[in-house]
Amino acid sequence: MKNVVLLGATGSIGKSCLNVIRQNKEHFHLFGIGFGSNLDRAQEIAKEFNPDHIFVDQYQTDKSHIFWQDHSNTLSSEDELRGLIQDSSVDIVISAISGFAGLKASYFAIEAGKVILIANKESIVAAGDILMPLAKKKNSEIIPIDSEHNAIYQCLPLEKNLKEISKILITASGGPFREKPLRDLRRVSLNDAMNHPTWSMGAKITIDSATLINKCLELIEAHYLFNIPESQIEIVVHPQSIIHSMITFIDGSTIAQMSNPSMEVPISNALGMGKRLPINFTEIDFTELNLSFEPVAHDRKMIFDMAREVCNKKGNLGVIFNASNEIAVDAFINKNIDFVDIYEAIQRTFDCFTCSKINTIDEIFEYDKEARIQAEMVIKSLH
Ligand code: NDP
Ligand code: MG
């Protein structure tokens, strides 16, 4: 029996994790959950799974909710979060909080040498320079949940001989605006952007998928997780989301991982840690498949150029890229800026900083703060 701490339990990934755990109760015990504000959902999860510990972030204020009657000993400080994650009984930490807010949990898990299943790609993008060496030092195993990275993880040879890899191909659905040129996107609404063709996900990552910034974050994530130069990572648009990523080896073989789009597939692979766990899934009907591939539209190239620069120069650039995107996405969700302004806000904020080396996790938090202030100023100047 493995003790699992699931952070981001009330979210979309959280739900898929719970579905996998529910189907494999004899292997996993929910030792702890963490969430932000959805007390109704947390109440339901607590009732069904009876976790030993519950963490809720301090920003939660609705103290009159019935949740508090049943869970008065809920954890909420940063020290308590660290204590929960680093408890010696914990075997697996799932980092599935959305955005930069998930970094602390990822950091605490890696610091304690835990097995960490990482959905929170923003942690790796913002703090890859700190987290990857720390994981090595602390012997913390990082297993990706993001479907593309889990696909790559499944395709890698067991001995992980990176010299045998010619190229990693990350697939992209292309999002809801795949067939629209950038110049036609000025007037798209929040609803249009939230209407993802193949995946149902949380709000932030759904907007990231519409802008393709999600693929930029994934490019940087892959670069750090697999220690592969960006020049060996190609993005391929594959609208059906059946092939989740591929590796071409130096002998000309390409290995792909396939499934119908469901996050339960990569999650069960990650939770299985080398063993295949049984889950309910919809089989691919190969006789009905019609797979297609195309390059990323040329008019979105500028954001991939930024992401590739992050991979090549590293340091503070990842945290700046990530923070400016988070501020811009928030502004778009709150209807303060147009869809295409997201690109403008990221590019202008990014251009305000020069690359500097990062030595500590605290510096990441400082750059994040600075980049957010800068992005807010840029956004004000846009209108
Ligand atoms: P959701 O918005 O659906 O869920 C986010 C979760 O994080 C919720 O449980 C939320 O709690 C919690 N949360 C937010 N802020 C805080 C905070 N400050 N402290 C504690 N908990 C917090 O997001 P997703 O599940 O879609 O995404 C989660 C992560 O997984 C992201 O990094 C995303 O990029 C990544 N990912 C998601 C995929 C997907 O299919 N959804 C696919 C691949 C990666 P509450 O709702 O209670 O406030
Ligand atoms: Mg993905």
Side-chain angles (χ1 to χ4, degrees), residues 121 146-148 214-215 218:
K121 62 192 88 187
D146 208 348
S147 57
E148 296 76 5
N214 183 48
K215 247 354 101 172
E218 290 184 354

Side-chain angles (χ1 to χ4, degrees), residues 214-262:
N214 183 48
K215 247 354 101 172
C216 296
L217 298 175
E218 290 184 354
L219 171 78
I220 303 167
E221 183 187 11
H223 164 70
Y224 275 116
L225 287 181
F226 300 105
N227 194 20
I228 271 262
E230 59 75 25
S231 55
Q232 280 175 268
I233 307 174
E234 185 180 326
I235 310 292
V236 184
V237 175
H238 163 48
Q240 299 80 18
S241 300
I242 296 289
I243 293 184
H244 301 299
S245 278
M246 310 178 243
I247 300 182
T248 299
F249 293 93
I250 49 174
D251 61 357
S253 283
T254 296
I255 304 212
Q257 186 267 341
M258 307 168 82
S259 73
N260 277 315
S262 158

Side-chain angles (χ1 to χ4, degrees), residues 30-288:
L30 204 58
F31 183 79
I33 60 166
F35 67 103
S37 58
N38 190 343
L39 295 171
D40 290 341
R41 178 71 190 126
Q43 178 90 335
E44 281 171 16
I45 297 169
K47 209 165 171 193
E48 180 184 351
F49 290 90
N50 197 18
D52 302 297
H53 303 282
I54 300 180
F55 168 82
V56 56
D57 194 53
Q58 285 152 333
Y59 75 74
Q60 172 54 45
T61 50
D62 180 11
K63 291 291 172 204
S64 63
H65 196 282
I66 188 167
F67 170 89
W68 296 107
Q69 282 174 23
D70 299 340
H71 307 287
S72 53
N73 56 351
T74 296
L75 314 171
S76 68
S77 72
E78 193 175 311
D79 279 349
E80 287 171 326
L81 176 64
R82 185 187 236 133
L84 168 62
I85 291 173
Q86 301 190 345
D87 190 298
S88 60
S89 317
V90 172
D91 301 299
I92 297 174
V93 177
I94 305 181
S95 175
I97 289 173
S98 64
F100 186 79
L103 174 58
K104 275 187 188 141
S106 302
Y107 180 76
F108 292 152
I110 292 172
E111 185 186 39
K114 300 289 183 189
V115 172
I116 171 171
L117 312 193
I118 193 129
N120 181 260
K121 62 192 88 187
E122 295 89 346
S123 298
I124 303 292
V125 171
D129 274 4
I130 299 292
L131 297 184
M132 298 316 291
L134 186 66
K136 206 169 180 189
K137 187 170 153 202
K138 301 285 183 177
N139 217 6
S140 165
E141 189 180 358
I142 304 180
I143 305 180
I145 281 183
D146 208 348
S147 57
E148 296 76 5
H149 305 75
N150 185 266
I152 297 163
Y153 181 78
Q154 293 196 44
C155 295
L156 267 181
L158 278 179
E159 67 275 18
K160 292 190 180 170
N161 187 351
L162 298 177
K163 289 201 178 105
E164 292 184 354
I165 294 179
S166 168
K167 191 160 71 173
I168 285 180
L169 297 113
I170 297 180
T171 52
S173 72
F177 306 136
R178 179 175 62 86
E179 288 169 322
K180 281 195 175 20
L182 192 60
R183 62 173 185 279
D184 288 354
L185 296 183
R186 166 118 340 241
R187 294 279 157 242
V188 297
S189 69
L190 179 58
N191 274 348
D192 297 334
M194 286 299 290
N195 190 17
H196 196 278
T198 49
W199 295 99
S200 156
M201 309 176 284
K204 192 251 172 191
I205 184 174
T206 304
I207 300 303
D208 286 348
S209 301
T211 55
L212 294 190
I213 300 289
N214 183 48
K215 247 354 101 172
C216 296
L217 298 175
E218 290 184 354
L219 171 78
I220 303 167
E221 183 187 11
H223 164 70
Y224 275 116
L225 287 181
F226 300 105
N227 194 20
I228 271 262
E230 59 75 25
S231 55
Q232 280 175 268
I233 307 174
E234 185 180 326
I235 310 292
V236 184
V237 175
H238 163 48
Q240 299 80 18
S241 300
I242 296 289
I243 293 184
H244 301 299
S245 278
M246 310 178 243
I247 300 182
T248 299
F249 293 93
I250 49 174
D251 61 357
S253 283
T254 296
I255 304 212
Q257 186 267 341
M258 307 168 82
S259 73
N260 277 315
S262 158
M263 286 309 295
E264 290 177 32
V265 175
I267 288 168
S268 70
N269 173 269
L271 269 169
M273 291 170 59
K275 278 210 185 98
R276 298 278 171 184
L277 300 175
I279 55 164
N280 293 322
F281 65 94
T282 312
E283 275 182 26
I284 297 173
D285 181 351
F286 283 90
T287 61
E288 289 290 317

